[in-house]
Amino acid sequence: MTSETLAHTSFFKAKSGIMSWLFTLDHKRIGIMYLYGIVAFFLVGATLGLLMRYELLNPGKDFIEPHTYNQIFTLHGVIMIFLFIIPSIPAVFGNFFLPLLLGTDDVAFPKLNLISFWLYVLGAFFALATLVFGDGPADTGWTFYAPYSVKTGTNVSMSVLAAFILGFSSILTGLNFIVTIHRLRTPGMGFNQMPLFVWSLYATSWIQLLATPVIGITLLMIIAERAFGIGLFDPSIGGDPILYQHMFWIYSHPAVYIMALPAMGIVSEILPTFSQRTIFGYKAIAYSSMAIAFIGYFVWGHHMFTSGMSGPAAYIFSILTFLVAIPTSIKVFNWVSTLYKGSIVIEVPLLFMLAFIFNFLIGGLTGLALGALAADVHLHDTYFVVGHFHYVMFGGTGFAFFGALHYWFPKIWGRMYNKTRAYIAFTILFIGFNMLYFPMLILGIQGMPRRYYDYLPEFTSLNQISTVGSWITVTGLVMMIVNLMVSANNGKRASNNPWNGITLEWQTKSPPPLHNFDEMPKIPERGPYDYPDAKRG
Amino acid sequence: MTIRMQKEVKEMEDWSVGVMVKKQNTEHQTLNIKNMNHAFTLPNSGHNFDAKASKMGMWLFLYTELLLFGGLFLVYMVYRSMYPDEFLLASFNLDVWMGTLNTVILLTSSMTIAMSITALQKGNKKLSIQLMWITIAAALGFLIIKYFEWGAKFEHGLFPGMDHFGTLPTGERLYFYLYFFMTGLHGLHVIIGAIFIVFVIFGVKKGTVTPERYSLLENSGLYWHLVDLIWIYLFPLFYLIH
């Protein structure tokens, strides 16, 4: 393809000017804008994490005041959860690739999609505006637990408002995706012919739609408490703080699956491509996504075992928590079976996926330890919890996000990244990541509590290993991002289908034209991963 | 031909009309001019008019609204089971007749908006617009009565933070917290619904909402029914406690 025809067809070149980006209705451009925003906020959040780790290099105060430390970990949590990890895969890759995977030219409601994006920007503005306005960012932790969140002098209202707006953005994205999946599949593609990433987005969208309103109303109640002295959660004027915790986790636990399910979809997409064989257990993976979404609604109580709840309630929440492990391990077994006897091609995206499976396994198993009633009493609010959810969120979803970025990079920019640098960056990142978070699991078992700027001297060596790990992690991240940024402009031209993928996005040009497809995409005869040359049996 | 078959045929016609009608999206038109040999359009384009999709989107949005209020109903349930007697005492401060009148007004307005949809489907634009104005008048009537109700509570010092309010027992205070929060949020929805209907009126006048493309009106009607539905639950929970 000459560069002249590229100029006419690529969605990057179809229109020019800043306005053609900011008010575009094209799902691909909106996805790209989300990508830049999300990566920028990820770097802000990572910087805050780096500051915290640096403070924890030695016991006692290094350079951050205790109160400032509280604000830093709260802002780190708010940014990483609401601005990075919840929108990460659905808003970036969902927006960009959902219509391509379905063989259509946009989402069902392009204007609503743009509104979602602008709500995201508005929410991000409020989250960061707390740095400037009022008495500084919230110091409550990202959970905004009452009654402290009602009483503290810091700018909780604005942080909460930010979370509310971002929730709205998330709801509208989910709504858009569900209708898109129902209405815009290419002729001949039934639900069981959809790629698995689409299935995982479908499950995610339902959670976004049905869980987010509950946190919305809860956060509104917090704002009302602070503004009008309404005492729904503050015990000193009649409210019940435990009720707040229930309301909060009714959303925030399903939200964990908003973060994890799309990542699982990414793995199910990348593994067949680099094994060049059909996915093992297509329906099991697809339906287990829905099962996780469904069971995920009923396990929120496991965040509150130490807050006080009746014995039977605690047993039930614990058992249901263990149930989630079943569909999750179904997926893991199917992924590993997909690799078995496949024609494996080792490329960076595949390495990210293998790292995902490794990290997610540690994250998932430590989660079971926390879901067990007796163990949780000891481990609750220790660094074990911090290690556990970073293994799931960063080691799982974060790695899937970066893996997806490497996988679809040639499709988005029409160029290939420097593979050698990508290998090196991945290796550094993987080593740094495990060095950063594994010590936390041990520290937690030894009893180091989370959310303190200080610790006892006997925890020093493990904390120092972890802090050095944070430097290595950031080195890897910076190398990876710089490599991708440089390659997006100067990389070698990539073909339309460099990985020999079989899903519909590989049938169009790289980068895709504005209309996505210049001719009718052809769906594979026997399911979405029907590789013609693959060994069967 | 049965009614169901007629409906299906009509849907198929809508679909094919949507495919053939040139898209309104300027972005795509620009490209068509620039790239003249681009003639291919996907049949399942996201830029087609798809009445079913917009209706589905509206229903999904209504689920989120129900869950938004669902959170409040949950809080109400918890506190009412904790303080049943105090909730009963506090409810005597409300005026059942005003509440009943508002219920009648909202139910009637739900009927008028439903009639407006039928009127437009039958091609009677003028009647449809008149019925929408009646719906909006009902919304205003509802808000005016609500204003007087809230005003009376303010006079009696029953708003959180006022003197008399501070002397009430916990359960009664929680009742009024919830009363103001839930009816306030519902009132906000009445205002949003009314504004939505005003937009539809302009749409009908401008010709973007037509007897063939009435899904915007239908959606505003759905939204209005939701506002009505939530009130039907709020009314007994606050006014009719026994």
Side-chain angles (χ1 to χ4, degrees):
Chain A
M1 187 201 299
T2 64
S3 63
E4 200 185 16
T5 48
L6 189 77
H8 279 285
T9 53
S10 154
F11 75 97
F12 279 110
K13 307 273 176 62
K15 290 182 91 181
S16 57
I18 184 82
M19 288 314 196
S20 75
W21 279 89
L22 294 180
F23 297 104
T24 182
L25 298 180
D26 180 20
H27 67 100
K28 298 183 287 303
R29 287 190 167 202
I30 290 174
I32 293 282
M33 288 197 289
Y34 267 120
L35 175 68
Y36 291 151
I38 280 166
V39 170
F41 290 122
F42 174 71
L43 292 177
V44 175
T47 310
L48 292 168
L50 207 59
L51 287 176
M52 279 189 284
R53 270 328 312 172
Y54 191 63
E55 166 58 37
L56 293 172
L57 189 59
N58 297 302
K61 185 189 144 190
D62 282 329
F63 73 115
I64 299 177
E65 295 292 329
H67 179 68
T68 315
Y69 185 83
N70 292 348
Q71 291 178 313
I72 289 181
F73 75 65
T74 305
L75 196 60
H76 171 80
V78 169
I79 288 179
M80 283 304 202
I81 289 183
F82 294 112
L83 293 177
F84 171 64
I85 208 152
I86 288 184
S88 62
I89 294 175
V92 177
F93 299 113
N95 257 319
F96 202 107
F97 286 102
L98 175 65
L100 284 163
L101 287 165
L102 293 177
T104 177
D105 65 351
D106 213 322
V107 289
F109 307 117
K111 285 177 196 156
L112 197 66
N113 204 14
L114 184 64
I115 292 172
S116 299
F117 173 74
W118 278 106
L119 283 173
Y120 173 77
V121 173
L122 189 70
F125 169 77
F126 278 117
L128 293 181
T130 54
L131 285 167
V132 190
F133 298 110
D135 295 322
D139 58 350
T140 56
W142 79 279
T143 48
F144 305 117
Y145 266 16
Y148 185 66
S149 60
V150 182
K151 294 187 164 171
T152 171
T154 51
N155 206 345
V156 170
S157 299
M158 208 180 252
S159 304
V160 166
L161 184 66
F164 178 78
I165 296 170
L166 292 166
F168 214 139
S169 162
S170 172
I171 288 176
L172 295 180
T173 303
L175 187 156
N176 217 337
F177 285 1
I178 293 178
V179 179
T180 307
I181 292 167
H182 273 280
R183 297 295 299 168
L184 296 181
R185 298 187 313 273
T186 193
M189 183 190 275
F191 262 69
N192 285 335
Q193 280 84 44
M194 296 193 310
L196 286 163
F197 181 51
V198 176
W199 265 107
S200 72
L201 281 177
Y202 186 67
T204 310
S205 300
W206 275 109
I207 311 176
Q208 286 177 306
L209 201 72
L210 297 183
T212 317
V214 182
I215 189 83
I217 196 68
T218 313
L219 296 176
L220 281 185
M221 282 189 254
I222 288 282
I223 294 176
E225 287 215 39
R226 289 179 64 89
F228 303 110
I230 286 182
L232 289 171
F233 302 128
D234 180 358
S236 66
I237 38 178
D240 185 351
I242 302 287
L243 184 60
Y244 172 80
Q245 296 187 14
H246 278 291
M247 302 282 289
F248 180 82
W249 288 113
I250 285 176
Y251 162 73
S252 295
H253 193 78
V256 171
Y257 302 110
I258 299 179
M259 308 171 202
L261 279 172
M264 296 169 165
I266 297 277
V267 182
S268 318
E269 213 55 52
I270 294 180
L271 284 184
T273 305
F274 291 100
S275 311
Q276 289 292 304
R277 60 159 291 190
T278 187
I279 189 101
F280 188 89
Y282 171 89
K283 283 189 181 171
I285 294 182
Y287 299 157
S288 62
S289 292
M290 300 304 284
I292 291 174
F294 181 73
I295 304 172
Y297 277 105
F298 307 105
V299 300
W300 78 85
H302 67 218
H303 293 268
M304 302 167 53
F305 286 150
T306 58
S307 306
M309 66 168 68
S310 70
Y315 293 139
I316 290 166
F317 277 126
S318 181
I319 290 166
L320 286 169
T321 304
F322 279 86
L323 276 185
V324 182
I326 296 173
T328 313
S329 32
I330 286 176
K331 281 177 189 287
V332 174
F333 282 121
N334 281 316
W335 291 330
V336 176
S337 313
T338 302
L339 291 168
Y340 179 67
K341 283 191 177 174
S343 318
I344 295 178
V345 186
I346 301 275
E347 288 279 357
V348 179
L350 181 71
L351 290 178
F352 270 105
M353 293 311 110
L354 298 179
F356 171 97
I357 296 175
F358 177 82
N359 294 336
F360 201 83
L361 205 67
I362 296 178
L365 291 177
T366 50
L368 287 182
L370 287 165
L373 287 174
D376 184 66
V377 175
H378 175 64
L379 296 172
H380 186 83
D381 258 351
T382 66
Y383 259 81
F384 191 82
V385 180
V386 182
H388 154 70
F389 70 70
H390 280 93
Y391 260 99
V392 182
M393 298 289 102
F394 185 5
T397 310
F399 272 67
F401 180 81
F402 296 127
L405 203 54
H406 284 87
Y407 177 58
W408 278 317
F409 188 91
K411 182 48 68 184
I412 298 176
W413 281 281
R415 293 173 187 276
M416 186 56 83
Y417 48 83
N418 182 320
K419 286 185 183 176
T420 319
R421 284 183 206 147
Y423 277 123
I424 297 169
F426 164 78
T427 312
I428 296 175
L429 180 62
F430 182 68
I431 293 169
F433 169 83
N434 279 292
M435 197 169 153
L436 168 56
Y437 294 109
F438 203 82
M440 291 188 185
L441 297 172
I442 304 168
L443 283 168
I445 294 170
Q446 290 176 351
M448 179 175 161
R450 63 191 281 211
R451 292 182 170 171
Y452 286 86
Y453 84 115
D454 190 8
Y455 53 83
L456 295 172
E458 57 259 41
F459 298 135
T460 311
S461 55
L462 281 170
N463 267 299
Q464 285 177 343
I465 294 175
S466 175
T467 301
V468 174
S470 76
W471 300 337
I472 299 175
T473 307
V474 166
T475 313
L477 280 174
V478 169
M479 270 189 75
M480 181 187 74
I481 292 170
V482 169
N483 179 31
L484 291 180
M485 278 166 69
V486 170
S487 305
N489 290 318
N490 303 320
K492 275 190 216 147
R493 281 246 179 274
S495 70
N496 288 344
N497 188 0
W499 311 127
N500 197 19
I502 201 170
T503 40
L504 301 189
E505 83 272 30
W506 301 111
Q507 295 183 16
T508 186
K509 297 189 183 94
S510 302
L514 184 58
H515 291 257
N516 286 358
F517 294 97
D518 286 340
E519 56 191 304
M520 221 39 210
K522 290 179 202 67
I523 54 173
E525 269 172 42
R526 284 182 290 185
Y529 304 103
D530 178 32
Y531 284 90
D533 303 331
K535 282 174 265 175
R536 294 179 201 286
Chain B
M1 205 191 258
T2 64
I3 296 171
R4 191 184 153 77
M5 278 168 70
Q6 279 174 348
K7 208 178 144 206
E8 273 171 8
V9 167
K10 184 153 175 10
E11 268 165 14
M12 280 166 69
E13 280 167 0
D14 284 351
W15 174 258
S16 53
V17 165
V19 173
M20 284 183 293
V21 164
K22 262 281 156 256
K23 292 170 294 300
Q24 298 183 325
N25 190 322
T26 49
E27 206 167 339
H28 283 231
Q29 279 174 359
T30 333
L31 188 83
N32 282 342
I33 295 160
K34 209 169 158 191
N35 187 5
M36 291 303 282
N37 57 1
H38 180 94
F40 177 74
T41 316
L42 290 163
N44 53 331
S45 165
H47 296 273
N48 289 336
F49 172 71
D50 182 356
K52 261 195 165 174
S54 66
K55 199 168 166 183
M56 184 186 227
M58 193 66 207
W59 273 105
L60 292 175
F61 185 71
L62 295 186
Y63 294 161
T64 71
E65 290 278 8
L66 284 178
L67 279 155
L68 191 77
F69 278 93
L72 284 169
F73 285 127
L74 185 71
V75 175
Y76 176 95
M77 188 183 80
V78 169
Y79 286 135
R80 184 166 164 189
S81 65
M82 280 164 79
Y83 305 99
D85 300 335
E86 290 173 7
F87 265 55
L88 175 65
L89 275 177
S91 77
F92 293 147
N93 289 301
L94 300 192
D95 189 332
V96 179
W97 289 111
M98 277 188 159
T100 312
L101 186 60
N102 257 350
T103 311
V104 173
I105 288 176
L106 267 196
L107 283 175
T108 316
S109 71
S110 245
M111 182 184 74
T112 54
I113 193 78
M115 285 162 71
S116 156
I117 298 168
T118 315
L120 188 69
Q121 282 169 333
K122 296 196 169 170
N124 196 338
K125 272 190 178 185
K126 204 178 152 199
L127 180 63
S128 172
I129 290 175
Q130 281 169 350
L131 284 163
M132 277 190 264
W133 280 121
I134 294 172
T135 312
I136 289 165
L140 288 177
F142 177 89
L143 289 171
I144 290 165
I145 292 174
K146 204 84 234 162
Y147 169 80
F148 282 112
E149 276 194 272
W150 274 39
K153 305 289 170 305
F154 277 82
E155 271 175 37
H156 296 132
L158 289 172
F159 192 73
M162 288 180 168
D163 290 343
H164 178 58
F165 185 82
T167 63
L168 293 174
T170 310
E172 290 192 39
R173 278 191 311 207
L174 286 168
Y175 175 89
F176 282 110
Y177 289 146
L178 286 168
Y179 170 75
F180 283 112
F181 199 100
M182 291 171 88
T183 58
L185 192 67
H186 177 259
L188 189 68
H189 279 77
V190 172
I191 295 170
I192 295 169
I195 293 171
F196 192 175
I197 295 171
V198 171
F199 269 105
V200 179
I201 292 177
F202 285 118
V204 175
K205 283 186 175 164
K206 265 195 334 200
T208 50
V209 180
T210 60
E212 291 78 37
R213 273 181 74 150
Y214 53 83
S215 55
L216 197 65
L217 172 58
E218 203 177 17
N219 284 347
S220 76
L222 280 174
Y223 191 84
W224 196 252
H225 295 321
L226 172 94
V227 170
D228 195 5
L229 179 79
I230 287 170
W231 179 256
I232 289 172
Y233 282 92
L234 288 180
F235 177 58
L237 286 180
F238 284 106
Y239 292 79
L240 305 178
I241 301 181
H242 281 295

